[in-house]
Amino acid sequence: MPVYRKPESIINTAGYCGGCGHGVIQRLIAECIEELGLQDHVIACVDIACAFWSQDALNFEFIAGPHGRCASVATGIKKVRPDATVYVHAGDGCSYVIGLDETAYAAVRDVPITMIVVNNGIFGMTGGQMNLATTLVGDKTLSSKAGRNAETMGKPVDMLKALSAFDVEFLARGALYDPKHIDQTKNFIKKGFENQRDVKGFSLIEVLSPCPTNWKLSPVDAMAKIKNENEKVFPVGVYVDRGGAK
């Protein structure tokens, strides 16, 4: 009979909203790092946004970069500390909108870091504004109160397809709406850390995650939205695996 315990790296509670997926992702990160025995040489880079809370919860070294600059900050850390396991935990606004240049050029350089990007379709910490990369057409946000209009606001973009044009190590997308997909997401995150341990290239794992507060849904309905709506636009699975199938 398996015994499930809290990862030792989680030393405190975090300030995430109820039903938020960031806490689940935070636990998956801790589990993967401990299972691979990497916990003594970890440096995490977080954004000045929702993922910032993980600094309070995890017993790792942290650097909070300027909003949107996590990939470039992590690149600098890895250059001077190549022995460290350097990871990014940031949102889609940070990684795909404000920090699109930084994410893209970390991929172009094939920097051996592990990025975990939380796709919750919105700018969470700043109050719930539309995200040009990930807000679905028709979704209502603080800055698209009548719903996202494709003619005036464009359509969401599958950033993993875009990044697949670069010669990177690993790109995958997971989801959190049921145990099966949480396990799959964990496997993707673990693969990203294994690639770094094995001195391979750039790995990015995107996670479809709920934001009940800004979506104005219950946690249960937020999970259903991911399954029934978001995943149709952003399919889960492996996009690039340089060591395997592409």
Side-chain angles (χ1 to χ4, degrees):
M1 198 68 178
V3 176
Y4 296 98
R5 296 186 177 89
K6 175 182 71 66
E8 293 181 3
S9 300
I10 298 178
I11 56 173
N12 206 345
T13 57
Y16 304 121
C17 300
C20 173
H22 274 278
V24 178
I25 294 166
Q26 174 183 282
R27 177 172 180 130
L28 296 181
I29 290 170
E31 288 180 353
C32 292
I33 286 174
E34 290 185 13
E35 288 169 11
L36 294 171
L38 302 173
Q39 60 268 35
D40 293 334
H41 301 284
V42 173
I43 303 176
C45 182
V46 294
D47 190 27
I48 307 299
C50 298
F52 188 85
W53 289 110
S54 64
Q55 292 188 104
D56 296 337
L58 294 174
N59 189 26
F60 301 143
E61 297 292 333
F62 274 85
I63 292 180
H67 191 36
R69 310 301 177 236
C70 283
S72 57
V73 172
T75 296
I77 297 168
K78 191 66 178 181
K79 293 293 184 181
V80 299
R81 288 289 305 277
D83 59 313
T85 298
V86 181
Y87 79 84
V88 170
H89 176 183
D92 44 3
C94 163
S95 304
Y96 295 160
V97 182
I98 295 173
L100 178 56
D101 282 355
E102 285 74 11
T103 300
Y105 280 101
V108 167
R109 297 186 188 103
D110 199 22
V111 181
I113 58 174
T114 306
M115 284 192 70
I116 294 100
V117 178
V118 183
N119 178 347
N120 56 18
I122 206 157
F123 278 88
M125 182 66 83
T126 55
Q129 296 85 359
M130 185 187 78
N131 185 313
L132 282 170
T134 59
T135 298
L136 303 187
V137 172
D139 276 6
K140 296 179 180 181
T141 73
L142 192 66
S143 55
S144 60
K145 292 189 176 181
R148 180 172 187 167
N149 184 313
E151 291 184 7
T152 58
M153 303 173 184
K155 297 179 181 179
V157 179
D158 189 334
M159 292 305 301
L160 294 191
K161 285 186 178 179
L163 293 171
S164 295
F166 305 136
D167 185 13
V168 297
E169 190 67 43
F170 186 70
L171 300 173
R173 178 181 294 118
L176 301 179
Y177 61 78
D178 63 22
K180 175 183 174 181
H181 284 83
I182 290 173
D183 285 345
Q184 181 187 50
T185 299
K186 179 178 177 178
N187 290 334
F188 292 157
I189 292 173
K190 195 169 187 177
K191 174 72 170 177
F193 284 120
E194 287 172 339
N195 288 337
Q196 190 171 171
R197 178 200 63 189
D198 296 340
V199 197
K200 296 183 178 180
F202 179 84
S203 296
L204 187 151
I205 299 89
E206 181 184 304
V207 185
L208 300 181
S209 176
C211 184
T213 296
N214 287 305
W215 291 357
K216 303 189 186 323
L217 296 172
S218 71
V220 172
D221 288 342
M223 290 296 191
K225 181 182 187 302
I226 294 174
K227 179 180 180 180
N228 298 324
E229 300 178 30
N230 296 61
E231 189 181 358
K232 293 179 180 178
V233 179
F234 303 109
V236 301
V238 176
Y239 280 62
V240 172
D241 185 354
R242 195 158 58 196
K246 302 201 176 186

